[in-house]
Amino acid sequence: TLSPREQIRYFYLATVRRAGEKGVERGQAETPLEFAQDLKQTWPEAESEITELTDAFLQARYTPQTLTPEQVCQLANP
């Protein structure tokens, strides 16, 4: 079983992969926040979900803060 931190990272990376399959590729030097802008321009109807996922990924990837299963549920069931 993946930890909440690992689950959030998995959701984010799966989204990056799916976006690439749909023609929105993440550049090698592109930050998650820059990529989020690309996604929002392509799918403006998903802007709040993109923001939530990106914020959660940044927290999971770059902070030592404890993440909860509830945070994962919010991402999985927007």
Side-chain angles (χ1 to χ4, degrees), residues 8 12 15-16 31-37 39-40 47-62 75:
I8 290 170
Y12 179 81
T15 299
V16 169
T31 69
L33 291 174
E34 291 168 336
F35 185 60
Q37 291 306 313
L39 294 176
K40 290 175 189 179
E47 184 172 339
S48 64
E49 290 88 355
I50 292 165
T51 297
E52 287 177 30
L53 178 58
T54 301
D55 289 347
F57 173 75
L58 290 171
Q59 185 178 359
R61 176 70 177 91
Y62 298 106
L75 292 174

Side-chain angles (χ1 to χ4, degrees), residues 3 11 13 15 18-21 25-26 28 33-34 37 40-41 43-44 47 49-50 54 57 60 63 68 73 77-78:
S3 71
F11 286 150
L13 295 174
T15 299
R18 284 193 310 270
E21 291 170 356
E25 302 259 344
R26 181 175 175 201
Q28 263 188 322
L33 291 174
E34 291 168 336
Q37 291 306 313
K40 290 175 189 179
Q41 288 176 2
W43 295 291
E47 184 172 339
E49 290 88 355
I50 292 165
T54 301
F57 173 75
T63 72
T68 66
C73 285
N77 303 302

